Amino acid sequence: MRLLILNGPNLRLLGTREPEIYGAFTLADVEALACKTAEQFGAKADCFQSDIEGELVARIGAARGVYDGIVINPAAYTHTSVALRDALAASALPAIEVHISNTHRREAFRQVSYTAPMCVGQLMGFGLYGYALAVEGLIHYLNSERKRG
Ligand code: CA2
């Protein structure tokens, strides 16, 4: 089982600014936890971060046939990107959307996700640990789908 872990714009800044919102952990911590969690469940994860919408769209577009599912934090593109939404729909891969903060406790513009309707589920507000939960949730979903045939 192969998983693709995608992180969107500015998440490379994790651990350097706004720790009261995003915690003190880094993108390297996020990617290490996602890979470790995948391995614990017998899967392998590849991680990619970009500030560029088109690069994220291209990664999703190339994922079909290579990966079994996607964990994505689209960051600010969550609230704006029809392109990412369309890419997730076209990939037809199961995806889990994850957010570090609970966006429902924040500004009104963060209450809308363009991408979540294309995902199996959405997780938010658990900080770094949300990535472990998202990977475990995705693997659980994939195993259930396999059993159902
Ligand atoms: O809570 C999340 O995971 C978000 O996806 C983070 C995005 C934000 O636009 C979403 O509404 C919620 C922002 C990522 C920016 O990351 C930074 C990390 C450290 C310092 C500054 C920005």
Side-chain angles (χ1 to χ4, degrees):
M1 198 179 277
R2 286 190 70 184
L3 310 181
L4 179 61
I5 315 298
L6 293 175
N7 279 293
N10 295 313
L11 286 166
R12 67 194 154 72
L13 298 174
L14 282 171
T16 66
R17 283 175 233 165
E18 300 189 81
E20 66 286 359
I21 301 176
Y22 298 116
F25 56 88
T26 65
L27 180 63
D29 295 328
V30 164
E31 295 184 340
L33 179 63
C35 285
K36 193 183 90 180
T37 307
E39 277 167 26
Q40 281 169 349
F41 289 92
K44 184 178 179 326
D46 294 326
C47 298
F48 178 73
Q49 185 275 332
S50 180
D51 294 340
I52 300 168
E53 189 177 23
E55 287 187 358
L56 295 163
V57 168
R59 287 290 172 134
I60 295 168
R64 199 165 179 188
V66 179
Y67 295 100
D68 299 292
I70 297 171
V71 168
I72 183 167
N73 183 345
Y77 292 142
T78 306
H79 319 298
T80 63
S81 182
V82 177
L84 278 178
R85 178 191 175 112
D86 289 348
L88 287 167
S91 81
L93 288 171
I96 307 280
E97 181 169 310
V98 60
H99 294 284
I100 294 161
S101 63
N102 179 354
T103 60
H104 295 299
R105 302 181 79 175
R106 301 180 64 192
E107 302 95 325
F109 68 85
R110 296 187 204 275
Q111 310 303 313
V112 173
S113 172
Y114 280 60
T115 41
M118 299 303 129
C119 295
V120 169
Q122 188 193 41
L123 258 158
M124 60 169 70
F126 293 99
L128 172 63
Y129 188 56
Y131 285 85
L133 295 172
V135 166
E136 182 176 350
L138 179 58
I139 292 170
H140 179 78
Y141 176 85
L142 288 167
N143 283 331
S144 310
E145 287 296 292
R146 280 183 183 177
K147 272 189 205 135
R148 286 203 313 162

